[in-house]
Amino acid sequence: MTRRIGTVRHARRTRSHALGRTIAIALAASAGFAIVWVQTLAMQFGGGIDTRDANPLVTKTPESPVEDLPGDPLTILLIGSDARSDENGEIVKDGVEGMRSDATVVAHLSGDRSRVELMSIPRDLQVEIPDCTLFDGTTVPGGYGDFNVAFSNGGRHGDPAEAAACTINAVHDLTDIPIDHWAVIDFAGFTRMVNALGGIPMCIPERIVSQDADLELDAGRQLLDGAEALGYARLRTAEVGDVSGSDLQRITRQQQLLERTLETALAKNLFTDVGALTSFIRAGAESLTTDEQLGDLGFMIRLAYGLRGVSADALTVTTVPWEYTDDRLNVLMTDDAPLMFDDMRHDRPLSVMSEGDSTSEWDPEPTTSPDADAPLVEPDSPNSAAPDNIDEILDTCGS
């Protein structure tokens, strides 16, 4: 239907011109701000992120479903590395050489950016590991075993891109989910990024003392700095605290930490505050290796802008559905796993969730009841500052 335009009087035309000038000035100002934003980001961390092309080593990429989907769904493989070189070597002092994956998460962003789904893959999930080809043409044979062997096979030369490519091949074979982008971050970068956020607020269910994790936390409301958050994420054994030693329980702690991290980022307007965003990315840039597109400045800005409306309620954190092997030393996928993979592959909300048991849960009956009204325990780090809505983030503490 066509709308008919009537005669415009002179006074009306003058107001229209004034309005047009106002809009033009506003648009120019907005464009100018965007340019300044981009330039600021470029100066702050341009070139700091190590970007690599791992595509030549990715042997087979599943085809994306041909569907009329809203927007452009993205799947990013996030890998935490315990590489023993440089600053990271000062954190990991266990005498083990090489590079291993300490955490592997498939992050799916729905096409309309209304959902973020994080699916952890257990390190000791028993799978077929494909052969791994390196940039020099050598091939590391695969075989049946722990999932994280894929990363260590690719990391024999200490190259994150080779390790990422071999892990991507394993994920493709396991899930049939096409990986669009990848990122590898080491412990040092994780520590700095947590500090850049001002710490991560957590509700600790019971007192924890672990010499191996270099961690000592009281029960209750805590603002973890980078070193404490890393120790909490890596915690496997403890002299004090009901820690099962299970990698699955550690995954649960890591997932809780990821949830709190997103909540903290949203509370601090990370995706819209140029200063906060630059500080956060700069903190991890030197310890971050990504594919070439994900590490591109313009792509990062568009991705952050697309996530500006995401709320904490839109986040789903889960694990590949699993069950123990007969000896209870490793885990296998259950029949629900292909359903979860298919939902993610087709950009559907997850219809199944992983179920654990007492060895994987991390909400034990606390030996010391956390007090929801107790003051927040903040670390000594001068970079730490609790977000303004700390009470909302920790509203479940002690419940």
Side-chain angles (χ1 to χ4, degrees):
M1 180 174 62
T2 301
R3 181 172 64 90
R4 184 175 181 178
I5 302 176
T7 304
V8 180
R9 295 185 176 87
H10 178 70
R12 182 81 172 183
R13 186 183 301 121
T14 302
R15 288 179 56 195
S16 177
H17 288 172
L19 179 60
R21 285 194 298 271
T22 301
I23 293 174
I25 292 171
L27 289 174
S30 298
F33 176 75
I35 292 171
V36 171
W37 188 20
V38 171
Q39 290 175 339
T40 301
L41 286 168
M43 288 187 294
Q44 292 291 332
F45 65 88
I49 296 176
D50 181 19
T51 60
R52 303 288 301 280
D53 181 12
N55 286 332
L57 304 182
V58 176
T59 55
K60 181 187 70 175
T61 300
E63 292 185 5
S64 297
V66 181
E67 294 181 1
D68 185 15
L69 299 175
D72 183 20
L74 285 177
T75 304
I76 305 172
L77 186 65
L78 306 174
I79 305 171
S81 166
D82 64 357
R84 270 73 173 168
S85 60
D86 302 325
E87 184 180 352
N88 219 48
E90 295 299 312
I91 299 174
V92 186
K93 299 178 181 179
D94 56 7
V96 178
E97 298 296 327
M99 178 186 296
R100 297 178 300 184
S101 57
D102 208 63
T104 304
V105 177
V106 177
H108 179 75
L109 283 60
S110 65
D112 59 7
R113 298 300 185 266
S114 66
R115 305 186 322 275
V116 177
E117 292 146 353
L118 305 178
M119 180 183 70
S120 296
I121 302 178
R123 301 196 321 168
D124 54 1
L125 182 69
Q126 300 301 287
V127 298
E128 287 289 345
I129 303 295
D131 293 347
C132 176
T133 302
L134 307 180
F135 284 122
D136 63 5
T138 61
T139 298
V140 181
Y144 186 79
D146 294 353
F147 170 80
N148 73 334
V149 169
F151 188 86
S152 59
N153 282 351
R156 293 194 174 191
H157 296 164
D159 188 330
E162 291 178 328
C166 293
T167 306
I168 290 171
N169 288 332
V171 172
H172 282 168
D173 284 359
L174 178 69
T175 69
D176 205 35
I177 298 171
I179 299 298
D180 300 305
H181 303 288
W182 58 270
V184 176
I185 187 165
D186 63 28
F187 292 158
F190 174 82
T191 299
R192 288 194 298 266
M193 293 177 87
V194 169
N195 285 336
L197 276 178
I200 305 299
M202 294 291 295
C203 181
I204 307 301
E206 61 181 341
R207 177 169 167 75
I208 300 171
V209 178
S210 172
Q211 184 175 353
D212 286 346
D214 193 20
L215 188 67
E216 183 173 348
L217 297 173
D218 288 327
R221 297 152 52 90
Q222 305 279 340
L223 185 68
L224 306 187
D225 65 15
E228 291 170 332
L230 178 62
Y232 190 74
R234 301 192 68 216
L235 181 65
R236 286 287 292 270
T237 62
E239 292 74 54
V240 177
D242 187 20
V243 178
S244 72
S246 163
D247 183 57
L248 293 156
Q249 189 189 76
R250 180 167 69 165
I251 284 175
T252 302
R253 284 189 289 273
Q254 291 171 347
Q255 291 173 342
Q256 291 172 347
L257 197 61
L258 283 171
E259 289 181 274
R260 296 301 194 203
T261 299
L262 178 61
E263 290 172 352
T264 303
L266 292 171
K268 293 203 166 190
N269 299 315
L270 180 69
F271 300 120
T272 56
D273 185 327
V274 62
L277 183 61
T278 54
S279 296
F280 183 71
I281 298 177
R282 282 183 64 196
E286 294 180 0
S287 299
L288 188 64
T289 305
T290 74
D291 64 89
E292 293 179 317
Q293 186 178 19
L294 184 62
D296 176 73
L297 174 63
F299 183 83
M300 281 188 178
I301 292 173
R302 292 192 297 274
L303 185 60
Y305 184 77
L307 291 171
R308 70 195 185 282
V310 173
S311 67
D313 293 338
L315 177 67
T316 299
V317 181
T318 189
T319 305
V320 172
W322 60 272
E323 62 184 6
Y324 278 114
T325 54
D326 291 339
D327 58 12
R328 295 185 66 84
L329 296 177
N330 299 297
V331 295
L332 301 169
M333 293 191 305
T334 68
D335 293 339
D336 282 341
L339 301 177
M340 182 178 290
F341 303 155
D342 195 61
D343 285 339
M344 193 170 287
R345 172 178 164 81
H346 287 86
D347 197 30
R348 297 188 298 256
L350 299 184
S351 59
V352 295
M353 296 292 287
S354 178
E355 295 183 4
D357 62 9
S358 60
T359 65
S360 62
E361 294 173 355
W362 183 240
D363 282 315
E365 288 295 328
T367 55
T368 303
S369 179
D371 184 354
D373 297 322
L376 180 74
V377 178
E378 299 196 32
D380 296 331
S381 170
N383 295 325
S384 297
D388 293 336
N389 65 338
I390 188 73
D391 290 327
E392 294 179 15
I393 293 179
L394 293 178
D395 61 359
T396 59
C397 193
S399 62

